[in-house]
PDB file of all heavy atoms in Angstrom:
ATOM      1  N   ARG A   4     -32.066 -20.689 -11.470  1.00  0.00           N
ATOM      2  CA  ARG A   4     -31.971 -21.049 -12.779  1.00  0.00           C
ATOM      3  C   ARG A   4     -31.229 -22.215 -12.620  1.00  0.00           C
ATOM      4  O   ARG A   4     -30.554 -22.698 -13.172  1.00  0.00           O
ATOM      5  CB  ARG A   4     -31.134 -20.270 -13.641  1.00  0.00           C
ATOM      6  CG  ARG A   4     -31.822 -18.999 -13.871  1.00  0.00           C
ATOM      7  CD  ARG A   4     -31.563 -18.596 -15.135  1.00  0.00           C
ATOM      8  NE  ARG A   4     -31.449 -17.310 -15.259  1.00  0.00           N
ATOM      9  CZ  ARG A   4     -32.185 -16.386 -15.505  1.00  0.00           C
ATOM     10  NH1 ARG A   4     -32.946 -16.541 -15.605  1.00  0.00           N
ATOM     11  NH2 ARG A   4     -32.154 -15.227 -15.718  1.00  0.00           N
ATOM     12  N   ASP A   5     -30.980 -21.830 -11.350  1.00  0.00           N
ATOM     13  CA  ASP A   5     -31.021 -22.722 -10.546  1.00  0.00           C
ATOM     14  C   ASP A   5     -32.287 -22.641 -10.192  1.00  0.00           C
ATOM     15  O   ASP A   5     -32.685 -22.208  -9.619  1.00  0.00           O
ATOM     16  CB  ASP A   5     -30.517 -22.533  -9.487  1.00  0.00           C
ATOM     17  CG  ASP A   5     -29.770 -23.073  -8.634  1.00  0.00           C
ATOM     18  OD1 ASP A   5     -29.851 -23.665  -8.162  1.00  0.00           O
ATOM     19  OD2 ASP A   5     -29.147 -23.094  -8.378  1.00  0.00           O
ATOM     20  N   GLY A   6     -31.066 -21.833 -10.971  1.00  0.00           N
ATOM     21  CA  GLY A   6     -31.099 -21.926 -11.646  1.00  0.00           C
ATOM     22  C   GLY A   6     -31.458 -21.780 -11.586  1.00  0.00           C
ATOM     23  O   GLY A   6     -31.471 -22.152 -11.804  1.00  0.00           O
ATOM     24  N   PRO A   7     -31.458 -22.242 -11.337  1.00  0.00           N
ATOM     25  CA  PRO A   7     -31.339 -22.331 -11.196  1.00  0.00           C
ATOM     26  C   PRO A   7     -32.007 -22.463 -11.122  1.00  0.00           C
ATOM     27  O   PRO A   7     -31.393 -23.243 -10.723  1.00  0.00           O
ATOM     28  CB  PRO A   7     -31.444 -23.517 -11.301  1.00  0.00           C
ATOM     29  CG  PRO A   7     -30.981 -23.478 -11.005  1.00  0.00           C
ATOM     30  CD  PRO A   7     -30.954 -23.399 -11.107  1.00  0.00           C
ATOM     31  N   ALA A   8     -31.474 -22.924 -11.430  1.00  0.00           N
ATOM     32  CA  ALA A   8     -31.598 -22.566 -11.886  1.00  0.00           C
ATOM     33  C   ALA A   8     -32.860 -22.830 -11.724  1.00  0.00           C
ATOM     34  O   ALA A   8     -32.268 -22.747 -11.869  1.00  0.00           O
ATOM     35  CB  ALA A   8     -30.924 -23.019 -11.672  1.00  0.00           C
ATOM     36  N   GLY A   9     -33.863 -23.431 -11.738  1.00  0.00           N
ATOM     37  CA  GLY A   9     -34.373 -23.701 -11.725  1.00  0.00           C
ATOM     38  C   GLY A   9     -35.158 -23.841 -11.153  1.00  0.00           C
ATOM     39  O   GLY A   9     -34.645 -23.713 -11.246  1.00  0.00           O
ATOM     40  N   GLY A  10     -40.215 -24.766 -11.962  1.00  0.00           N
ATOM     41  CA  GLY A  10     -41.568 -24.722 -12.314  1.00  0.00           C
ATOM     42  C   GLY A  10     -42.423 -25.842 -11.849  1.00  0.00           C
ATOM     43  O   GLY A  10     -41.988 -26.872 -11.470  1.00  0.00           O
ATOM     44  N   GLU A  11     -43.740 -25.609 -11.936  1.00  0.00           N
ATOM     45  CA  GLU A  11     -44.559 -26.544 -11.220  1.00  0.00           C
ATOM     46  C   GLU A  11     -46.005 -26.529 -11.663  1.00  0.00           C
ATOM     47  O   GLU A  11     -46.638 -25.530 -11.555  1.00  0.00           O
ATOM     48  CB  GLU A  11     -44.426 -26.195  -9.764  1.00  0.00           C
ATOM     49  CG  GLU A  11     -42.994 -26.354  -9.339  1.00  0.00           C
ATOM     50  CD  GLU A  11     -42.198 -25.079  -9.283  1.00  0.00           C
ATOM     51  OE1 GLU A  11     -42.790 -24.009  -9.318  1.00  0.00           O
ATOM     52  OE2 GLU A  11     -40.992 -25.184  -9.221  1.00  0.00           O
ATOM     53  N   LEU A  12     -46.518 -27.663 -12.180  1.00  0.00           N
ATOM     54  CA  LEU A  12     -47.897 -27.764 -12.568  1.00  0.00           C
ATOM     55  C   LEU A  12     -48.289 -29.071 -13.206  1.00  0.00           C
ATOM     56  O   LEU A  12     -47.460 -29.855 -13.513  1.00  0.00           O
ATOM     57  CB  LEU A  12     -48.220 -26.657 -13.551  1.00  0.00           C
ATOM     58  CG  LEU A  12     -48.134 -27.074 -14.997  1.00  0.00           C
ATOM     59  CD1 LEU A  12     -48.798 -26.048 -15.838  1.00  0.00           C
ATOM     60  CD2 LEU A  12     -46.786 -27.398 -15.421  1.00  0.00           C
ATOM     61  N   THR A  13     -49.616 -29.266 -13.362  1.00  0.00           N
ATOM     62  CA  THR A  13     -50.087 -30.435 -14.068  1.00  0.00           C
ATOM     63  C   THR A  13     -50.139 -30.059 -15.515  1.00  0.00           C
ATOM     64  O   THR A  13     -50.837 -29.150 -15.867  1.00  0.00           O
ATOM     65  CB  THR A  13     -51.488 -30.825 -13.599  1.00  0.00           C
ATOM     66  OG1 THR A  13     -51.436 -31.052 -12.206  1.00  0.00           O
ATOM     67  CG2 THR A  13     -51.965 -32.060 -14.310  1.00  0.00           C
ATOM     68  N   MET A  14     -49.385 -30.709 -16.373  1.00  0.00           N
ATOM     69  CA  MET A  14     -49.283 -30.215 -17.727  1.00  0.00           C
ATOM     70  C   MET A  14     -49.346 -31.324 -18.737  1.00  0.00           C
ATOM     71  O   MET A  14     -49.202 -32.483 -18.437  1.00  0.00           O
ATOM     72  CB  MET A  14     -47.951 -29.504 -17.887  1.00  0.00           C
ATOM     73  CG  MET A  14     -46.810 -30.452 -17.693  1.00  0.00           C
ATOM     74  SD  MET A  14     -45.254 -29.626 -17.663  1.00  0.00           S
ATOM     75  CE  MET A  14     -44.216 -31.012 -17.300  1.00  0.00           C
ATOM     76  N   THR A  15     -49.560 -30.916 -19.979  1.00  0.00           N
ATOM     77  CA  THR A  15     -49.492 -31.833 -21.099  1.00  0.00           C
ATOM     78  C   THR A  15     -48.097 -31.761 -21.663  1.00  0.00           C
ATOM     79  O   THR A  15     -47.620 -30.697 -21.994  1.00  0.00           O
ATOM     80  CB  THR A  15     -50.500 -31.429 -22.188  1.00  0.00           C
ATOM     81  OG1 THR A  15     -51.802 -31.437 -21.613  1.00  0.00           O
ATOM     82  CG2 THR A  15     -50.442 -32.409 -23.348  1.00  0.00           C
ATOM     83  N   LEU A  16     -47.417 -32.891 -21.762  1.00  0.00           N
ATOM     84  CA  LEU A  16     -46.018 -32.893 -22.153  1.00  0.00           C
ATOM     85  C   LEU A  16     -45.819 -33.177 -23.624  1.00  0.00           C
ATOM     86  O   LEU A  16     -44.710 -33.392 -24.075  1.00  0.00           O
ATOM     87  CB  LEU A  16     -45.265 -33.932 -21.317  1.00  0.00           C
ATOM     88  CG  LEU A  16     -45.241 -33.603 -19.824  1.00  0.00           C
ATOM     89  CD1 LEU A  16     -44.684 -34.775 -19.047  1.00  0.00           C
ATOM     90  CD2 LEU A  16     -44.417 -32.368 -19.572  1.00  0.00           C
ATOM     91  N   ALA A  17     -46.899 -33.147 -24.390  1.00  0.00           N
ATOM     92  CA  ALA A  17     -46.765 -33.421 -25.815  1.00  0.00           C
ATOM     93  C   ALA A  17     -46.051 -32.296 -26.537  1.00  0.00           C
ATOM     94  O   ALA A  17     -45.683 -32.437 -27.700  1.00  0.00           O
ATOM     95  CB  ALA A  17     -48.143 -33.602 -26.436  1.00  0.00           C
ATOM     96  N   MET A  18     -45.826 -31.169 -25.841  1.00  0.00           N
ATOM     97  CA  MET A  18     -45.215 -30.016 -26.484  1.00  0.00           C
ATOM     98  C   MET A  18     -43.716 -29.989 -26.312  1.00  0.00           C
ATOM     99  O   MET A  18     -43.078 -28.981 -26.568  1.00  0.00           O
ATOM    100  CB  MET A  18     -45.814 -28.733 -25.911  1.00  0.00           C
ATOM    101  CG  MET A  18     -47.302 -28.630 -26.113  1.00  0.00           C
ATOM    102  SD  MET A  18     -47.961 -27.098 -25.465  1.00  0.00           S
ATOM    103  CE  MET A  18     -47.228 -25.928 -26.616  1.00  0.00           C
ATOM    104  N   ALA A  19     -43.114 -31.063 -25.843  1.00  0.00           N
ATOM    105  CA  ALA A  19     -41.674 -31.097 -25.667  1.00  0.00           C
ATOM    106  C   ALA A  19     -40.983 -30.834 -26.990  1.00  0.00           C
ATOM    107  O   ALA A  19     -41.417 -31.299 -28.029  1.00  0.00           O
ATOM    108  CB  ALA A  19     -41.237 -32.470 -25.139  1.00  0.00           C
ATOM    109  N   PRO A  20     -39.887 -30.015 -26.980  1.00  0.00           N
ATOM    110  CA  PRO A  20     -39.214 -29.650 -28.220  1.00  0.00           C
ATOM    111  C   PRO A  20     -38.631 -30.859 -28.928  1.00  0.00           C
ATOM    112  O   PRO A  20     -38.332 -31.880 -28.318  1.00  0.00           O
ATOM    113  CB  PRO A  20     -38.113 -28.694 -27.747  1.00  0.00           C
ATOM    114  CG  PRO A  20     -37.912 -29.024 -26.308  1.00  0.00           C
ATOM    115  CD  PRO A  20     -39.270 -29.424 -25.798  1.00  0.00           C
ATOM    116  N   SER A  21     -38.456 -30.705 -30.249  1.00  0.00           N
ATOM    117  CA  SER A  21     -37.980 -31.823 -31.060  1.00  0.00           C
ATOM    118  C   SER A  21     -36.599 -32.280 -30.681  1.00  0.00           C
ATOM    119  O   SER A  21     -36.198 -33.402 -30.978  1.00  0.00           O
ATOM    120  CB  SER A  21     -37.990 -31.424 -32.532  1.00  0.00           C
ATOM    121  OG  SER A  21     -37.172 -30.290 -32.745  1.00  0.00           O
ATOM    122  N   SER A  22     -35.837 -31.407 -29.994  1.00  0.00           N
ATOM    123  CA  SER A  22     -34.476 -31.782 -29.630  1.00  0.00           C
ATOM    124  C   SER A  22     -34.427 -32.727 -28.444  1.00  0.00           C
ATOM    125  O   SER A  22     -33.395 -33.267 -28.110  1.00  0.00           O
ATOM    126  CB  SER A  22     -33.670 -30.517 -29.284  1.00  0.00           C
ATOM    127  OG  SER A  22     -34.297 -29.807 -28.230  1.00  0.00           O
ATOM    128  N   THR A  23     -35.559 -32.916 -27.776  1.00  0.00           N
ATOM    129  CA  THR A  23     -35.591 -33.804 -26.628  1.00  0.00           C
ATOM    130  C   THR A  23     -35.264 -35.228 -27.058  1.00  0.00           C
ATOM    131  O   THR A  23     -35.718 -35.712 -28.067  1.00  0.00           O
ATOM    132  CB  THR A  23     -36.992 -33.778 -25.980  1.00  0.00           C
ATOM    133  OG1 THR A  23     -37.311 -32.431 -25.653  1.00  0.00           O
ATOM    134  CG2 THR A  23     -37.018 -34.634 -24.732  1.00  0.00           C
ATOM    135  N   SER A  24     -34.458 -35.905 -26.220  1.00  0.00           N
ATOM    136  CA  SER A  24     -34.033 -37.258 -26.551  1.00  0.00           C
ATOM    137  C   SER A  24     -35.199 -38.225 -26.497  1.00  0.00           C
ATOM    138  O   SER A  24     -36.216 -37.959 -25.869  1.00  0.00           O
ATOM    139  CB  SER A  24     -32.951 -37.713 -25.564  1.00  0.00           C
ATOM    140  OG  SER A  24     -33.501 -37.828 -24.273  1.00  0.00           O
ATOM    141  N   ASN A  25     -35.035 -39.380 -27.144  1.00  0.00           N
ATOM    142  CA  ASN A  25     -36.098 -40.381 -27.134  1.00  0.00           C
ATOM    143  C   ASN A  25     -36.400 -40.846 -25.725  1.00  0.00           C
ATOM    144  O   ASN A  25     -37.545 -41.052 -25.355  1.00  0.00           O
ATOM    145  CB  ASN A  25     -35.686 -41.578 -28.009  1.00  0.00           C
ATOM    146  CG  ASN A  25     -35.659 -41.217 -29.480  1.00  0.00           C
ATOM    147  OD1 ASN A  25     -36.362 -40.307 -29.918  1.00  0.00           O
ATOM    148  ND2 ASN A  25     -34.850 -41.923 -30.245  1.00  0.00           N
TER     149      ASN A  25
END
Side-chain angles (χ1 to χ4, degrees):
R4 287 215 215 269
D5 225 292
E11 298 99 14
L12 96 165
T13 302
M14 63 187 176
T15 301
L16 296 171
M18 300 181 68
S21 59
S22 58
T23 304
S24 66
N25 291 334

